[in-house]
Amino acid sequence: RPDPSNATYMLGLVLKSQGATMTDIGTALRAIEPVCASLCAERTDRHAEIIPRLRKIQTDARACVVEDEVRFTSLMRKFHEELVVNCGNTTLILLVGALEKLWTHNQAEWAKHLVKDGQFPALEFRTRSIDLHDTIIAKIELGDSVGVGALLQSHLEDSIFYGADHSTRE
């Protein structure tokens, strides 16, 4: 029986066979993930179903921002995955979710590699990401679907291409 993990695996194989790079996957996420965030802001149950999850991730990320860069990276990716999983559109959850899983796997390897080499992004970059995620939460909470989409697209331009530029598996 087909399930989402099979779709991610198959998509990964197809993308690899077509020569897709992490930059290519990042470009796709930058284009589509803001739509998911906008849909989160439009959900009438966002205060009960989305905001608490995002805030919990933020709390956990703040707790490890200085001392555990690999966990921090995982939590930052989890934040983005929650935007997709909670958008309320089954098709986007599956398609964008598969891209998110491919990107997240790469970022986990990227973080381990950069920590080992002492080249992980500066604390300023990390805290700026947390602050932007707080603003994303605020816009979702207000139901500002246009604002959260624009903000997320800008955030992804900075963070996704930083990750792609330092990718361990281009």
Side-chain angles (χ1 to χ4, degrees), residues 13-84:
L13 289 176
V14 171
L15 288 169
K16 187 173 185 172
S17 76
Q18 297 295 309
T21 64
M22 290 311 299
T23 300
D24 186 70
I25 293 170
T27 299
L29 285 172
R30 188 185 74 203
I32 303 169
E33 189 180 312
V35 173
C36 295
S38 294
L39 290 172
C40 286
E42 292 173 3
R43 285 188 52 174
T44 58
D45 64 349
R46 65 188 177 276
H47 294 92
E49 296 298 322
I50 301 169
I51 300 302
R53 291 180 180 149
L54 295 177
R55 284 197 175 131
K56 169 73 170 105
I57 294 167
Q58 287 291 89
T59 298
D60 293 347
R62 274 193 186 79
C64 71
V65 68
V66 174
E67 296 178 11
D68 191 346
E69 294 94 344
V70 172
R71 177 155 164 70
F72 173 79
T73 299
S74 172
L75 290 165
M76 292 291 95
R77 292 305 318 142
K78 184 176 180 182
F79 183 94
H80 288 267
E81 290 171 358
E82 283 293 319
L83 295 174
V84 174

Side-chain angles (χ1 to χ4, degrees), residues 12 17 26 30 36-37 42 52 55 58 73 81 91 95 100 105 108 125 129-130 136 143 151 157 163 169:
S17 76
R30 188 185 74 203
C36 295
E42 292 173 3
R55 284 197 175 131
Q58 287 291 89
T73 299
E81 290 171 358
T91 303
L95 293 175
E100 286 283 352
H105 176 76
F125 182 85
S129 290
I130 289 175
I136 289 166
L151 178 63
E157 286 176 16
R169 297 183 318 138

